[in-house]
Structures are given as C-alpha cells and as structure tokens.
C-alpha cells in the first residue's frame, strides 16, 4: 500500500505540474521571469534597466535576457532617455499593455470535483503529511515560510515600490 501511495502521489505531482505548464502555456507567470517584468511594467511603465534590475533583484545579464525575449515577442520597447542618453528606458508596447495574466481562479477548478467534506478530509491529510515531512526534515514552519517567501518577497517589494512611485508621480 505504501508504494501505491507514493506512486499515486508522484503521479498527482506530475499531473499538477503538467496542468500548471498547460495553464501557463502562452502566458507568463507573474511570479517568475518574463511575467514578473510584465507585471512590474504594468504597475510602472517607462522604467530604466537599472531600476528594473534593482526592483527584480536580478543580475544585469538575467534582466537583459528577459528584456531581449520580451522585446522579440513585441511586449516591450527599449528607448534611450532624453535626459541621459546612457540610460535605457523600458516601455510596454500596446501588445504588452493589453496582455492579461491568467486568473488564479482557473487553478481552483482542480478542487471542484471534491465535495466540501472531501476537501476538508484532503486538507486534514495534507496537514498530517506536511507535519511528518517537517519532522523528518527537521524544519520549522518559520523556516518554511522564510524559504517560500523568498520567491514572493521581491515581487511584493517591487509591487509596493512601483505603487509608491506611481503615487509620487501623480
């Protein structure tokens, strides 16, 4: 029975990953790569490459690669600043402005096949499995939260900086 559970869990994880990739096909996840750049530019357009590097917390080559891909796909343009010709400004094109991120509600449809009671039961089982893994790996909730938040922290920081920057401009 244990090997069957592992096999089913592995199969579920594989299918969940496939669903995520299919869900994201032709779109960009706002938490990663090109999606982060588009999400940031939607909040604050006309940003310098340097500012983008800072807000994304990425190295110059990484940002340059993302920008090249987005420029090739015609989501952005790069123009020299009129005030300082050494500065490159990143702007959304009409295609970039009209791009819509996938809605998180689509992800929730996975659980529509479960009754409320089944959802509660599944939730309880996941809690038990998480507790067992935490004990096995000797990791605390705080450590998990810290590691998980690293992925989201920069995006949230970027989001607040961009909103703050927009408020100052208006």
């Amino acid at each position: 029975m244990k090997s069957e559970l592992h096999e089913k869990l592995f199969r579920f994880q594989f299918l969940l990953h496939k669903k995520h990739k299919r869900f994201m096909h032709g779109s960009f996840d706002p938490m990663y790569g090109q999606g982060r750049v588009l999400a940031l530019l939607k909040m604050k357009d006309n940003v310098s490459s340097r500012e983008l590097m800072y807000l994304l917390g990425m190295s110059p080559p990484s940002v340059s690669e993302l920008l090249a891909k987005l420029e090739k796909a015609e989501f952005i343009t790069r123009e020299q600043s009129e005030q300082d010709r050494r500065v490159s400004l990143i702007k959304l094109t009409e295609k970039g402005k009209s791009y819509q991120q996938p809605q998180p509600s689509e992800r929730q449809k996975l659980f529509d096949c479960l009754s409320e009671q089944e959802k509660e039961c599944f939730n309880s089982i996941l809690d038990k499995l998480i507790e067992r893994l935490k004990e096995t790996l000797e990791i605390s909730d705080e450590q998990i939260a810290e590691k998980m938040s690293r992925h989201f922290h920069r995006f949230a920081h970027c989001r607040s900086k961009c909103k703050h920057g927009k408020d100052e401009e208006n």
Side-chain angles (χ1 to χ4, degrees):
M1 183 65 161
K2 284 184 182 181
S3 64
E4 184 180 346
L5 284 174
H6 279 280
E7 170 63 28
K8 285 183 179 182
L9 186 58
F10 178 76
R11 184 176 292 164
F12 179 75
Q13 182 181 8
F14 172 80
L15 291 170
L16 196 58
H17 179 73
K18 283 289 193 193
K19 179 175 174 30
H20 176 74
K21 284 180 76 171
R22 185 171 292 162
F23 173 72
M24 295 308 298
H25 179 73
S27 59
F28 306 106
D29 189 331
M31 300 311 261
Y32 303 99
Q34 296 174 56
R36 284 178 67 198
V37 174
L38 287 175
L40 188 145
L41 290 172
K42 281 193 171 205
M43 290 183 272
K44 182 179 181 187
D45 202 7
N46 205 24
V47 177
S48 73
S49 300
R50 181 174 294 241
E51 188 177 5
L52 201 58
M53 284 183 273
Y54 169 76
L55 291 171
L56 295 173
M58 296 174 71
S59 67
S62 298
V63 171
S64 184
E65 181 181 344
L66 290 175
L67 294 176
K69 289 177 181 177
L70 288 168
E71 191 171 31
K72 184 177 179 182
E74 300 177 349
F75 283 102
I76 64 160
T77 59
R78 293 189 243 197
E79 300 172 6
Q80 286 184 328
S81 169
E82 291 179 14
Q83 287 80 23
D84 186 346
R85 290 289 185 197
R86 297 170 296 170
V87 175
S88 176
L89 297 176
I90 314 304
K91 297 180 180 185
L92 285 172
T93 61
E94 286 306 313
K95 182 178 179 180
K97 289 176 184 173
S98 65
Y99 176 76
Q100 295 295 316
Q101 299 285 359
Q103 297 302 311
S105 62
E106 289 295 315
R107 293 180 182 168
Q108 301 303 323
K109 290 182 180 179
L110 171 65
F111 301 106
D112 287 352
C113 64
L114 301 176
S115 70
E116 288 305 313
Q117 184 179 2
E118 289 170 324
K119 288 176 190 176
E120 289 174 20
C121 183
F122 185 57
N123 192 40
S124 176
I125 291 169
L126 286 174
D127 285 342
K128 286 181 181 179
L129 291 172
I130 289 168
E131 286 303 315
R132 173 60 59 94
L133 283 171
K134 284 180 0 189
E135 290 169 11
T136 304
L137 297 171
E138 297 178 353
I139 190 168
S140 69
D141 285 330
E142 292 79 21
Q143 290 169 311
I144 294 169
E146 179 186 332
K147 290 178 189 265
M148 288 176 67
S149 73
R150 286 182 192 161
H151 295 287
F152 303 108
H153 175 73
R154 284 196 173 117
F155 184 75
H157 174 73
C158 161
R159 205 179 178 131
S160 70
K161 283 275 188 192
C162 289
K163 283 183 178 177
H164 182 68
K166 268 190 171 178
D167 290 342
E168 285 181 352
E169 290 175 7
N170 293 333

